[in-house]
Amino acid sequence: MGENENRQPVTDTGLVISGGGARTIMSIGVLQALEESGVKVGCVAGTSMGAVIGALYAAGLSPAAIREVFRGKQLAKTFSLRIPRLGFLQLDFLREVLKSYIRTDNFNYLQKPLYVSTTNINTGENVIFKSGTLYDKVLASATLPVLFEPVQIGDHYYVDGGLTNNFPVDCIRDCCKKLIGVHVNCISGEQEVNGMAHIIARTFALAVWQTVKDKLKACDHLIEPKQARNYTIFDFGKADELFEIGYEATMKGIEEIKAPCHTPSPNGWISTFRKRFSA
């Protein structure tokens, strides 16, 4: 579900980036490895922080420039876990980041097609935005419920797309011949769950996983670093570590990623050539 048709060209390579808070910084390392290896990403879909990174990349920023944005102390402070005492927290700083690097508040002025996954809390449905005004839709996708104030778009309110679609392959699969997925939320058994931050992150991750598990097979190549489980969604102070993990995981399988891919099937869902790469 989403807006009216905008741009949906067929490109050689598409990239879908899951949400995952700070862990999504790994996708910047993925982009760096792809660019160094001559793999050109023609369209991007993302959820939550994946939508933010996707928007910056679609606007023409290099992976190195995006990395510098996420190294900033203010961004880490904005997304540190603080329980609001007087209502919701604001995403004003993130809005200023978008305005600084993306001068025009419109999808049509991006250099690559972008698809942003959000959750309409009025209807309970997932909404993919791909046209019209840009800032509010990207912010909505990154609005973690309870902590941040929902974003009003039209008559409805929107929050993190991870609640309903944390890996938006559906909207991008038919747009590209080869689809690379970056999934940074490793779900495994945990012996201990201690502390408020850990409990919140674990609870959200388990709910989000239900929107993802059946979609991973749609990717021709899936980059899913095992080290992701060692970081929380609030670890923005570890941007360099996360970047390197994504970079190394991608370089490990880069020859297979660069290999020619079969033409997509009529329904666009390919599982035969799915690959998992982990550093």
Side-chain angles (χ1 to χ4, degrees):
M1 184 175 182
E3 297 178 328
N4 295 331
E5 287 297 316
N6 183 28
R7 297 171 297 166
Q8 194 168 335
V10 174
T11 186
D12 285 339
T13 304
L15 181 72
V16 57
I17 308 173
S18 75
R23 291 193 297 263
T24 312
I25 295 172
M26 295 178 196
S27 68
I28 307 173
V30 173
L31 286 167
Q32 181 68 42
L34 293 176
E35 287 209 349
E36 287 183 8
S37 303
V39 178
K40 297 182 179 180
V41 173
C43 57
V44 186
T47 299
S48 195
M49 200 52 61
V52 175
I53 292 171
L56 293 172
Y57 188 68
L61 270 72
S62 68
I66 301 172
R67 181 184 189 181
E68 289 304 312
V69 173
F70 280 83
R71 274 175 164 171
K73 293 182 179 179
Q74 183 60 46
L75 192 63
K77 181 180 179 181
T78 299
F79 286 95
S80 63
L81 180 59
R82 294 172 292 149
I83 302 302
R85 296 181 180 180
L86 300 173
F88 294 105
L89 298 174
Q90 303 292 321
L91 284 175
D92 293 341
F93 175 73
L94 186 55
R95 180 183 295 277
E96 291 306 312
V97 168
L98 294 176
K99 291 172 67 175
S100 296
Y101 293 97
I102 307 175
R103 297 303 177 88
T104 304
D105 183 21
N106 196 294
F107 278 79
N108 287 331
Y109 287 85
L110 297 174
Q111 296 182 17
K112 305 175 190 294
L114 173 70
Y115 303 84
V116 174
S117 174
T118 66
T119 299
N120 183 320
I121 59 174
N122 293 93
T123 66
E125 296 178 312
N126 177 251
V127 177
I128 302 293
F129 287 110
K130 55 187 178 182
S131 63
T133 57
L134 176 68
Y135 302 152
D136 280 346
K137 294 161 187 174
V138 174
L139 287 173
S141 185
T143 299
L144 191 65
V146 181
L147 292 182
F148 296 104
E149 183 176 10
V151 176
Q152 184 173 4
I153 301 173
D155 295 330
H156 288 182
Y157 289 88
Y158 294 79
V159 294
D160 201 309
L163 290 175
T164 50
N165 188 354
N166 201 45
F167 200 63
V169 295
D170 330 53
C171 60
I172 196 174
R173 176 65 270 189
D174 289 336
C175 304
C176 52
K177 298 176 182 178
K178 178 186 298 183
L179 181 59
I180 300 170
V182 183
H183 182 245
V184 298
N185 304 295
C186 293
I187 300 297
S188 59
E190 295 191 14
Q191 296 298 320
E192 297 183 3
V193 181
N194 297 317
M196 184 174 294
H198 194 182
I199 292 172
I200 290 176
R202 178 67 172 172
T203 301
F204 191 66
L206 291 173
V208 164
W209 174 242
Q210 303 307 311
T211 78
V212 170
K213 60 182 181 180
D214 294 329
K215 296 183 177 183
L216 299 179
K217 64 184 179 182
C219 297
D220 301 305
H221 303 285
L222 180 64
I223 300 168
E224 193 176 42
K226 294 179 180 179
Q227 294 99 317
R229 65 171 58 94
N230 299 325
Y231 299 85
T232 75
I233 62 175
F234 303 108
D235 277 336
F236 285 91
K238 300 178 180 179
D240 286 340
E241 294 177 33
L242 293 162
F243 176 94
E244 291 300 331
I245 290 171
Y247 179 85
E248 292 174 8
T250 307
M251 293 304 292
K252 181 179 179 180
I254 197 63
E255 292 306 318
E256 292 183 75
I257 291 174
K258 291 170 64 177
C261 184
H262 284 204
T263 302
S265 58
N267 64 10
W269 289 74
I270 302 174
S271 59
T272 306
F273 300 96
R274 172 173 171 242
K275 301 293 182 181
R276 283 174 175 264
F277 301 114
S278 59

